[in-house]
Amino acid sequence: MSSRDLTERIVEQFTDDSERADIWRGFEYVLETDSFLNLGYSGPFRTHLLGDPQARLVERVVDRAASLRPKPAEERLLDVGCGRGVPTAYAASAHGFEAVGVDLVPYNVRMARANVADAARPPEFVVGDATALPFRDDSVAAAVSIDAVVYVPDKDATYAELSRVLDAGGSAVVSDLVAADEADVDRAALERFGRAWDMPSPVPFSTYARTIEGTALRIRDVEDLTAHSVGGFRKWSRLFLALADGPSGPAFRRLLQLAGLEPPVVTAQVRAAHRALPALRHVLVTLER
């Protein structure tokens, strides 16, 4: 799949009137997808079905970014792949950052602007590409990206751009999905997962790290979030597939249709994710320039 085709599919996946957005419309029944587009975080003795795991991940990422800055209320923060805008707004309201969000998908940017319209200090949101950020060199002090870089095929260009727009001494916090480094990782399952979810196949963190090391950025810390996010997802994908493939399959598919979803599309995405989950790792990377 060409980069242009992949970009078009990403835009479709996150645009509400598209068939490829069905999976996110399905998630609306259990997650706040009108506000957040991330994998979420559920610490010990917590579940993704209670509270707001997506907000918890946002707080974890943005609070860490703020902890690296001596005076966040006087600094500009860039949210790369800002989605529906609530994480960007949290950076402004909780820490006083002059926050700005950029996203490839025009629908996301429209939703982001609507979501923060009543804020006392609404952030700025712009349509833009992570591989060609519409910002000057050395123009931001901090950056975050929450489960967004995983959709970008050209990681080299993404981190080169992040390095370019951060000023000297700037810092960034990125949550992302990578492949396990173990030798027995099922590469075919990862490739099918990437195709089903309109993203490049996840690469091992060792490869990912070399991309970052080719820029002026330095990896300060890496935290493995897997046990608190994707590590628990397989029980839910197993249940979904048991319903879809078992005797209740026809009734289950009718329920999906009644919810306005296309059963073949959603089932294919869940099946691909189920097979790939054992080989996926969710990481939180702290960077300095």
Side-chain angles (χ1 to χ4, degrees):
M1 187 184 303
S2 71
S3 294
R4 181 174 180 178
D5 289 342
L6 185 55
T7 296
E8 290 175 353
R9 287 170 69 89
I10 291 169
V11 171
E12 288 178 1
Q13 184 184 149
F14 294 104
T15 299
D16 194 53
D17 59 358
S18 165
E19 178 184 285
R20 298 206 61 77
D22 276 2
I23 193 69
W24 295 103
R25 284 193 288 270
F27 284 153
E28 285 177 7
Y29 290 94
V30 291
L31 297 171
E32 294 281 343
T33 55
D34 280 347
S35 301
F36 304 102
L37 297 172
N38 67 60
L39 295 168
Y41 180 91
S42 296
F45 312 112
R46 304 184 88 168
T47 170
H48 265 50
L49 296 183
L50 293 175
D52 195 339
Q54 293 176 296
R56 290 196 289 266
L57 179 60
V58 167
E59 291 167 4
R60 194 171 190 86
V61 173
V62 176
D63 291 354
R64 179 166 300 184
S67 73
L68 301 173
R69 311 308 309 161
K71 296 181 179 180
E74 299 176 8
E75 295 186 317
R76 195 180 197 201
L77 175 139
L78 174 63
D79 185 357
V80 179
C82 64
R84 273 78 196 266
V86 175
T88 320
Y90 175 76
S93 62
H95 298 288
F97 279 112
E98 180 192 341
V100 56
V102 59
D103 200 279
L104 180 69
V105 182
Y107 179 80
N108 282 344
V109 171
R110 290 195 298 272
M111 284 198 69
R113 290 170 178 163
N115 281 337
V116 304
D118 295 331
R121 293 176 55 204
E124 176 188 359
F125 294 101
V126 297
V127 176
D129 189 328
T131 65
L133 291 169
F135 301 97
R136 300 189 311 274
D137 295 0
D138 309 314
S139 59
V140 299
V144 295
S145 185
I146 306 175
D147 298 348
V149 177
V150 67
Y151 287 96
V152 185
D154 193 344
K155 301 289 192 292
D156 295 85
T158 299
Y159 279 104
E161 280 293 276
L162 192 57
S163 176
R164 178 184 66 79
V165 300
L166 278 172
D167 62 22
S171 51
V173 182
V174 177
S175 65
D176 209 349
L177 203 59
V178 299
D181 279 308
E182 290 86 346
D184 61 349
V185 165
D186 188 341
R187 297 303 309 176
L190 288 173
E191 289 169 3
R192 287 192 294 270
F193 169 72
R195 288 195 298 271
W197 287 83
D198 305 323
M199 61 177 64
S201 177
V203 299
F205 186 76
S206 54
T207 303
Y208 192 95
R210 284 196 293 274
T211 295
I212 296 170
E213 291 162 1
T215 71
L217 301 172
R218 180 180 71 85
I219 298 175
R220 171 173 171 162
D221 181 66
V222 180
E223 180 183 358
D224 191 339
L225 304 178
T226 307
H228 305 295
S229 59
V230 296
F233 286 1
R234 214 162 191 250
K235 58 180 177 289
W236 307 115
S237 59
R238 184 180 292 113
L239 174 61
F240 181 99
L241 293 173
L243 291 171
D245 297 337
S248 61
F252 184 61
R253 288 190 288 275
R254 282 196 294 274
L255 283 175
L256 293 177
Q257 289 172 330
L258 288 172
L261 310 179
E262 288 292 333
V265 175
V266 174
T267 302
Q269 288 178 297
V270 173
R271 195 181 308 281
H274 182 76
R275 291 170 176 167
L277 278 167
L280 296 175
R281 299 293 180 268
H282 192 200
V283 294
L284 186 62
V285 187
T286 303
L287 305 165
E288 293 178 334
R289 181 177 184 275

PDB file of all heavy atoms in Angstrom, residues 59-89:
ATOM      1  N   GLU A  59      -3.498  11.746  31.129  1.00  0.00           N
ATOM      2  CA  GLU A  59      -2.921  12.355  32.323  1.00  0.00           C
ATOM      3  C   GLU A  59      -1.498  11.861  32.553  1.00  0.00           C
ATOM      4  O   GLU A  59      -0.608  12.641  32.923  1.00  0.00           O
ATOM      5  CB  GLU A  59      -3.801  12.051  33.536  1.00  0.00           C
ATOM      6  CG  GLU A  59      -5.148  12.771  33.483  1.00  0.00           C
ATOM      7  CD  GLU A  59      -6.137  12.232  34.493  1.00  0.00           C
ATOM      8  OE1 GLU A  59      -5.759  11.342  35.307  1.00  0.00           O
ATOM      9  OE2 GLU A  59      -7.299  12.687  34.483  1.00  0.00           O
ATOM     10  N   ARG A  60      -1.282  10.568  32.335  1.00  0.00           N
ATOM     11  CA  ARG A  60       0.055  10.010  32.547  1.00  0.00           C
ATOM     12  C   ARG A  60       1.074  10.652  31.599  1.00  0.00           C
ATOM     13  O   ARG A  60       2.182  11.002  31.997  1.00  0.00           O
ATOM     14  CB  ARG A  60       0.017   8.496  32.351  1.00  0.00           C
ATOM     15  CG  ARG A  60       1.252   7.767  32.877  1.00  0.00           C
ATOM     16  CD  ARG A  60       1.047   6.256  32.841  1.00  0.00           C
ATOM     17  NE  ARG A  60       2.116   5.580  33.551  1.00  0.00           N
ATOM     18  CZ  ARG A  60       2.126   5.345  34.854  1.00  0.00           C
ATOM     19  NH1 ARG A  60       1.108   5.745  35.592  1.00  0.00           N
ATOM     20  NH2 ARG A  60       3.152   4.727  35.421  1.00  0.00           N
ATOM     21  N   VAL A  61       0.685  10.803  30.337  1.00  0.00           N
ATOM     22  CA  VAL A  61       1.599  11.370  29.340  1.00  0.00           C
ATOM     23  C   VAL A  61       1.811  12.865  29.572  1.00  0.00           C
ATOM     24  O   VAL A  61       2.943  13.349  29.646  1.00  0.00           O
ATOM     25  CB  VAL A  61       1.058  11.122  27.913  1.00  0.00           C
ATOM     26  CG1 VAL A  61       1.916  11.854  26.883  1.00  0.00           C
ATOM     27  CG2 VAL A  61       1.017   9.632  27.606  1.00  0.00           C
ATOM     28  N   VAL A  62       0.714  13.612  29.691  1.00  0.00           N
ATOM     29  CA  VAL A  62       0.819  15.071  29.793  1.00  0.00           C
ATOM     30  C   VAL A  62       1.436  15.488  31.122  1.00  0.00           C
ATOM     31  O   VAL A  62       2.271  16.407  31.165  1.00  0.00           O
ATOM     32  CB  VAL A  62      -0.557  15.729  29.586  1.00  0.00           C
ATOM     33  CG1 VAL A  62      -0.467  17.236  29.790  1.00  0.00           C
ATOM     34  CG2 VAL A  62      -1.086  15.418  28.181  1.00  0.00           C
ATOM     35  N   ASP A  63       1.076  14.817  32.217  1.00  0.00           N
ATOM     36  CA  ASP A  63       1.674  15.150  33.514  1.00  0.00           C
ATOM     37  C   ASP A  63       3.177  14.917  33.490  1.00  0.00           C
ATOM     38  O   ASP A  63       3.945  15.684  34.074  1.00  0.00           O
ATOM     39  CB  ASP A  63       1.045  14.321  34.636  1.00  0.00           C
ATOM     40  CG  ASP A  63      -0.403  14.704  34.920  1.00  0.00           C
ATOM     41  OD1 ASP A  63      -0.887  15.699  34.331  1.00  0.00           O
ATOM     42  OD2 ASP A  63      -1.062  13.994  35.712  1.00  0.00           O
ATOM     43  N   ARG A  64       3.605  13.850  32.812  1.00  0.00           N
ATOM     44  CA  ARG A  64       5.048  13.611  32.712  1.00  0.00           C
ATOM     45  C   ARG A  64       5.709  14.712  31.887  1.00  0.00           C
ATOM     46  O   ARG A  64       6.800  15.181  32.242  1.00  0.00           O
ATOM     47  CB  ARG A  64       5.331  12.248  32.090  1.00  0.00           C
ATOM     48  CG  ARG A  64       6.827  11.960  31.950  1.00  0.00           C
ATOM     49  CD  ARG A  64       7.124  10.511  31.666  1.00  0.00           C
ATOM     50  NE  ARG A  64       6.636   9.645  32.738  1.00  0.00           N
ATOM     51  CZ  ARG A  64       6.836   8.336  32.778  1.00  0.00           C
ATOM     52  NH1 ARG A  64       7.502   7.734  31.805  1.00  0.00           N
ATOM     53  NH2 ARG A  64       6.371   7.614  33.774  1.00  0.00           N
ATOM     54  N   ALA A  65       5.070  15.122  30.796  1.00  0.00           N
ATOM     55  CA  ALA A  65       5.639  16.208  29.996  1.00  0.00           C
ATOM     56  C   ALA A  65       5.769  17.476  30.823  1.00  0.00           C
ATOM     57  O   ALA A  65       6.774  18.194  30.741  1.00  0.00           O
ATOM     58  CB  ALA A  65       4.777  16.453  28.760  1.00  0.00           C
ATOM     59  N   ALA A  66       4.761  17.771  31.639  1.00  0.00           N
ATOM     60  CA  ALA A  66       4.804  18.968  32.477  1.00  0.00           C
ATOM     61  C   ALA A  66       5.894  18.868  33.538  1.00  0.00           C
ATOM     62  O   ALA A  66       6.536  19.868  33.887  1.00  0.00           O
ATOM     63  CB  ALA A  66       3.447  19.192  33.136  1.00  0.00           C
ATOM     64  N   SER A  67       6.114  17.653  34.056  1.00  0.00           N
ATOM     65  CA  SER A  67       7.122  17.478  35.113  1.00  0.00           C
ATOM     66  C   SER A  67       8.534  17.763  34.616  1.00  0.00           C
ATOM     67  O   SER A  67       9.432  18.029  35.414  1.00  0.00           O
ATOM     68  CB  SER A  67       7.048  16.055  35.670  1.00  0.00           C
ATOM     69  OG  SER A  67       7.581  15.106  34.747  1.00  0.00           O
ATOM     70  N   LEU A  68       8.727  17.725  33.305  1.00  0.00           N
ATOM     71  CA  LEU A  68      10.055  17.966  32.724  1.00  0.00           C
ATOM     72  C   LEU A  68      10.324  19.448  32.485  1.00  0.00           C
ATOM     73  O   LEU A  68      11.444  19.822  32.141  1.00  0.00           O
ATOM     74  CB  LEU A  68      10.185  17.214  31.399  1.00  0.00           C
ATOM     75  CG  LEU A  68      10.011  15.694  31.453  1.00  0.00           C
ATOM     76  CD1 LEU A  68       9.987  15.114  30.052  1.00  0.00           C
ATOM     77  CD2 LEU A  68      11.123  15.055  32.274  1.00  0.00           C
ATOM     78  N   ARG A  69       9.290  20.286  32.631  1.00  0.00           N
ATOM     79  CA  ARG A  69       9.424  21.707  32.331  1.00  0.00           C
ATOM     80  C   ARG A  69       9.418  22.524  33.614  1.00  0.00           C
ATOM     81  O   ARG A  69       8.555  22.336  34.482  1.00  0.00           O
ATOM     82  CB  ARG A  69       8.271  22.186  31.433  1.00  0.00           C
ATOM     83  CG  ARG A  69       8.002  21.324  30.202  1.00  0.00           C
ATOM     84  CD  ARG A  69       9.232  21.076  29.375  1.00  0.00           C
ATOM     85  NE  ARG A  69       9.937  22.314  29.058  1.00  0.00           N
ATOM     86  CZ  ARG A  69      11.206  22.351  28.669  1.00  0.00           C
ATOM     87  NH1 ARG A  69      11.922  21.238  28.605  1.00  0.00           N
ATOM     88  NH2 ARG A  69      11.751  23.510  28.393  1.00  0.00           N
ATOM     89  N   PRO A  70      10.344  23.449  33.782  1.00  0.00           N
ATOM     90  CA  PRO A  70      10.394  24.243  35.013  1.00  0.00           C
ATOM     91  C   PRO A  70       9.210  25.182  35.177  1.00  0.00           C
ATOM     92  O   PRO A  70       8.726  25.395  36.287  1.00  0.00           O
ATOM     93  CB  PRO A  70      11.710  25.019  34.883  1.00  0.00           C
ATOM     94  CG  PRO A  70      12.015  25.028  33.420  1.00  0.00           C
ATOM     95  CD  PRO A  70      11.469  23.738  32.885  1.00  0.00           C
ATOM     96  N   LYS A  71       8.714  25.731  34.066  1.00  0.00           N
ATOM     97  CA  LYS A  71       7.586  26.660  34.123  1.00  0.00           C
ATOM     98  C   LYS A  71       6.634  26.386  32.960  1.00  0.00           C
ATOM     99  O   LYS A  71       6.579  27.145  31.982  1.00  0.00           O
ATOM    100  CB  LYS A  71       8.083  28.106  34.061  1.00  0.00           C
ATOM    101  CG  LYS A  71       8.939  28.522  35.255  1.00  0.00           C
ATOM    102  CD  LYS A  71       9.371  29.977  35.130  1.00  0.00           C
ATOM    103  CE  LYS A  71      10.206  30.411  36.331  1.00  0.00           C
ATOM    104  NZ  LYS A  71      10.637  31.836  36.218  1.00  0.00           N
ATOM    105  N   PRO A  72       5.861  25.288  33.039  1.00  0.00           N
ATOM    106  CA  PRO A  72       4.986  24.935  31.905  1.00  0.00           C
ATOM    107  C   PRO A  72       3.987  26.014  31.534  1.00  0.00           C
ATOM    108  O   PRO A  72       3.611  26.140  30.366  1.00  0.00           O
ATOM    109  CB  PRO A  72       4.292  23.662  32.395  1.00  0.00           C
ATOM    110  CG  PRO A  72       4.462  23.644  33.868  1.00  0.00           C
ATOM    111  CD  PRO A  72       5.764  24.322  34.134  1.00  0.00           C
ATOM    112  N   ALA A  73       3.559  26.821  32.522  1.00  0.00           N
ATOM    113  CA  ALA A  73       2.567  27.857  32.226  1.00  0.00           C
ATOM    114  C   ALA A  73       3.106  28.945  31.316  1.00  0.00           C
ATOM    115  O   ALA A  73       2.346  29.754  30.787  1.00  0.00           O
ATOM    116  CB  ALA A  73       2.051  28.475  33.525  1.00  0.00           C
ATOM    117  N   GLU A  74       4.419  28.965  31.128  1.00  0.00           N
ATOM    118  CA  GLU A  74       5.021  29.989  30.267  1.00  0.00           C
ATOM    119  C   GLU A  74       5.524  29.393  28.948  1.00  0.00           C
ATOM    120  O   GLU A  74       6.212  30.083  28.188  1.00  0.00           O
ATOM    121  CB  GLU A  74       6.182  30.663  31.007  1.00  0.00           C
ATOM    122  CG  GLU A  74       5.752  31.365  32.305  1.00  0.00           C
ATOM    123  CD  GLU A  74       6.936  31.946  33.065  1.00  0.00           C
ATOM    124  OE1 GLU A  74       8.060  31.926  32.506  1.00  0.00           O
ATOM    125  OE2 GLU A  74       6.741  32.408  34.194  1.00  0.00           O
ATOM    126  N   GLU A  75       5.174  28.129  28.680  1.00  0.00           N
ATOM    127  CA  GLU A  75       5.776  27.455  27.533  1.00  0.00           C
ATOM    128  C   GLU A  75       4.718  26.923  26.561  1.00  0.00           C
ATOM    129  O   GLU A  75       3.560  26.701  26.925  1.00  0.00           O
ATOM    130  CB  GLU A  75       6.656  26.307  28.014  1.00  0.00           C
ATOM    131  CG  GLU A  75       7.866  26.803  28.817  1.00  0.00           C
ATOM    132  CD  GLU A  75       8.819  25.703  29.183  1.00  0.00           C
ATOM    133  OE1 GLU A  75       8.351  24.628  29.585  1.00  0.00           O
ATOM    134  OE2 GLU A  75      10.031  25.917  29.073  1.00  0.00           O
ATOM    135  N   ARG A  76       5.180  26.690  25.336  1.00  0.00           N
ATOM    136  CA  ARG A  76       4.304  26.179  24.286  1.00  0.00           C
ATOM    137  C   ARG A  76       4.475  24.670  24.170  1.00  0.00           C
ATOM    138  O   ARG A  76       5.596  24.155  24.132  1.00  0.00           O
ATOM    139  CB  ARG A  76       4.651  26.842  22.959  1.00  0.00           C
ATOM    140  CG  ARG A  76       3.579  26.665  21.883  1.00  0.00           C
ATOM    141  CD  ARG A  76       3.987  27.355  20.599  1.00  0.00           C
ATOM    142  NE  ARG A  76       2.858  27.546  19.709  1.00  0.00           N
ATOM    143  CZ  ARG A  76       2.967  27.741  18.406  1.00  0.00           C
ATOM    144  NH1 ARG A  76       4.172  27.806  17.853  1.00  0.00           N
ATOM    145  NH2 ARG A  76       1.900  27.917  17.654  1.00  0.00           N
ATOM    146  N   LEU A  77       3.336  23.970  24.115  1.00  0.00           N
ATOM    147  CA  LEU A  77       3.344  22.513  23.961  1.00  0.00           C
ATOM    148  C   LEU A  77       2.623  22.137  22.674  1.00  0.00           C
ATOM    149  O   LEU A  77       1.546  22.655  22.376  1.00  0.00           O
ATOM    150  CB  LEU A  77       2.663  21.846  25.148  1.00  0.00           C
ATOM    151  CG  LEU A  77       2.499  20.322  25.056  1.00  0.00           C
ATOM    152  CD1 LEU A  77       2.789  19.645  26.397  1.00  0.00           C
ATOM    153  CD2 LEU A  77       1.084  19.939  24.577  1.00  0.00           C
ATOM    154  N   LEU A  78       3.214  21.224  21.927  1.00  0.00           N
ATOM    155  CA  LEU A  78       2.636  20.723  20.693  1.00  0.00           C
ATOM    156  C   LEU A  78       2.138  19.301  20.910  1.00  0.00           C
ATOM    157  O   LEU A  78       2.875  18.441  21.390  1.00  0.00           O
ATOM    158  CB  LEU A  78       3.686  20.743  19.576  1.00  0.00           C
ATOM    159  CG  LEU A  78       3.284  20.110  18.243  1.00  0.00           C
ATOM    160  CD1 LEU A  78       2.118  20.858  17.618  1.00  0.00           C
ATOM    161  CD2 LEU A  78       4.476  20.075  17.288  1.00  0.00           C
ATOM    162  N   ASP A  79       0.875  19.052  20.556  1.00  0.00           N
ATOM    163  CA  ASP A  79       0.284  17.715  20.617  1.00  0.00           C
ATOM    164  C   ASP A  79       0.219  17.175  19.190  1.00  0.00           C
ATOM    165  O   ASP A  79      -0.581  17.636  18.375  1.00  0.00           O
ATOM    166  CB  ASP A  79      -1.105  17.798  21.240  1.00  0.00           C
ATOM    167  CG  ASP A  79      -1.753  16.430  21.447  1.00  0.00           C
ATOM    168  OD1 ASP A  79      -1.149  15.418  21.049  1.00  0.00           O
ATOM    169  OD2 ASP A  79      -2.868  16.394  22.008  1.00  0.00           O
ATOM    170  N   VAL A  80       1.080  16.216  18.879  1.00  0.00           N
ATOM    171  CA  VAL A  80       1.193  15.669  17.526  1.00  0.00           C
ATOM    172  C   VAL A  80       0.215  14.494  17.383  1.00  0.00           C
ATOM    173  O   VAL A  80       0.298  13.516  18.122  1.00  0.00           O
ATOM    174  CB  VAL A  80       2.622  15.196  17.232  1.00  0.00           C
ATOM    175  CG1 VAL A  80       2.714  14.615  15.818  1.00  0.00           C
ATOM    176  CG2 VAL A  80       3.609  16.342  17.402  1.00  0.00           C
ATOM    177  N   GLY A  81      -0.706  14.606  16.422  1.00  0.00           N
ATOM    178  CA  GLY A  81      -1.767  13.618  16.304  1.00  0.00           C
ATOM    179  C   GLY A  81      -2.771  13.818  17.417  1.00  0.00           C
ATOM    180  O   GLY A  81      -3.093  12.902  18.170  1.00  0.00           O
ATOM    181  N   CYS A  82      -3.298  15.021  17.518  1.00  0.00           N
ATOM    182  CA  CYS A  82      -4.093  15.449  18.682  1.00  0.00           C
ATOM    183  C   CYS A  82      -5.464  14.812  18.757  1.00  0.00           C
ATOM    184  O   CYS A  82      -6.154  14.937  19.773  1.00  0.00           O
ATOM    185  CB  CYS A  82      -4.219  16.964  18.705  1.00  0.00           C
ATOM    186  SG  CYS A  82      -5.126  17.642  17.274  1.00  0.00           S
ATOM    187  N   GLY A  83      -5.918  14.142  17.680  1.00  0.00           N
ATOM    188  CA  GLY A  83      -7.218  13.496  17.734  1.00  0.00           C
ATOM    189  C   GLY A  83      -8.346  14.472  17.981  1.00  0.00           C
ATOM    190  O   GLY A  83      -8.437  15.527  17.357  1.00  0.00           O
ATOM    191  N   ARG A  84      -9.199  14.161  18.963  1.00  0.00           N
ATOM    192  CA  ARG A  84     -10.406  14.954  19.213  1.00  0.00           C
ATOM    193  C   ARG A  84     -10.163  16.104  20.181  1.00  0.00           C
ATOM    194  O   ARG A  84     -11.100  16.764  20.619  1.00  0.00           O
ATOM    195  CB  ARG A  84     -11.534  14.040  19.702  1.00  0.00           C
ATOM    196  CG  ARG A  84     -12.337  13.406  18.543  1.00  0.00           C
ATOM    197  CD  ARG A  84     -11.608  12.239  17.888  1.00  0.00           C
ATOM    198  NE  ARG A  84     -12.126  11.836  16.591  1.00  0.00           N
ATOM    199  CZ  ARG A  84     -13.033  10.872  16.416  1.00  0.00           C
ATOM    200  NH1 ARG A  84     -13.552  10.245  17.443  1.00  0.00           N
ATOM    201  NH2 ARG A  84     -13.409  10.547  15.197  1.00  0.00           N
ATOM    202  N   GLY A  85      -8.896  16.368  20.537  1.00  0.00           N
ATOM    203  CA  GLY A  85      -8.530  17.629  21.172  1.00  0.00           C
ATOM    204  C   GLY A  85      -8.547  17.689  22.686  1.00  0.00           C
ATOM    205  O   GLY A  85      -7.953  18.596  23.269  1.00  0.00           O
ATOM    206  N   VAL A  86      -9.184  16.748  23.360  1.00  0.00           N
ATOM    207  CA  VAL A  86      -9.281  16.840  24.816  1.00  0.00           C
ATOM    208  C   VAL A  86      -7.914  16.704  25.496  1.00  0.00           C
ATOM    209  O   VAL A  86      -7.645  17.400  26.482  1.00  0.00           O
ATOM    210  CB  VAL A  86     -10.306  15.819  25.355  1.00  0.00           C
ATOM    211  CG1 VAL A  86     -10.330  15.810  26.882  1.00  0.00           C
ATOM    212  CG2 VAL A  86     -11.702  16.154  24.816  1.00  0.00           C
ATOM    213  N   PRO A  87      -6.999  15.845  25.009  1.00  0.00           N
ATOM    214  CA  PRO A  87      -5.668  15.823  25.616  1.00  0.00           C
ATOM    215  C   PRO A  87      -4.942  17.167  25.514  1.00  0.00           C
ATOM    216  O   PRO A  87      -4.282  17.605  26.474  1.00  0.00           O
ATOM    217  CB  PRO A  87      -4.932  14.735  24.819  1.00  0.00           C
ATOM    218  CG  PRO A  87      -6.025  13.835  24.358  1.00  0.00           C
ATOM    219  CD  PRO A  87      -7.167  14.744  24.035  1.00  0.00           C
ATOM    220  N   THR A  88      -5.060  17.821  24.377  1.00  0.00           N
ATOM    221  CA  THR A  88      -4.441  19.135  24.202  1.00  0.00           C
ATOM    222  C   THR A  88      -5.035  20.125  25.201  1.00  0.00           C
ATOM    223  O   THR A  88      -4.309  20.918  25.826  1.00  0.00           O
ATOM    224  CB  THR A  88      -4.670  19.650  22.769  1.00  0.00           C
ATOM    225  OG1 THR A  88      -4.526  18.586  21.838  1.00  0.00           O
ATOM    226  CG2 THR A  88      -3.691  20.763  22.433  1.00  0.00           C
ATOM    227  N   ALA A  89      -6.357  20.079  25.351  1.00  0.00           N
ATOM    228  CA  ALA A  89      -7.028  20.971  26.295  1.00  0.00           C
ATOM    229  C   ALA A  89      -6.592  20.688  27.730  1.00  0.00           C
ATOM    230  O   ALA A  89      -6.462  21.612  28.543  1.00  0.00           O
ATOM    231  CB  ALA A  89      -8.541  20.825  26.158  1.00  0.00           C
TER     232      ALA A  89
END
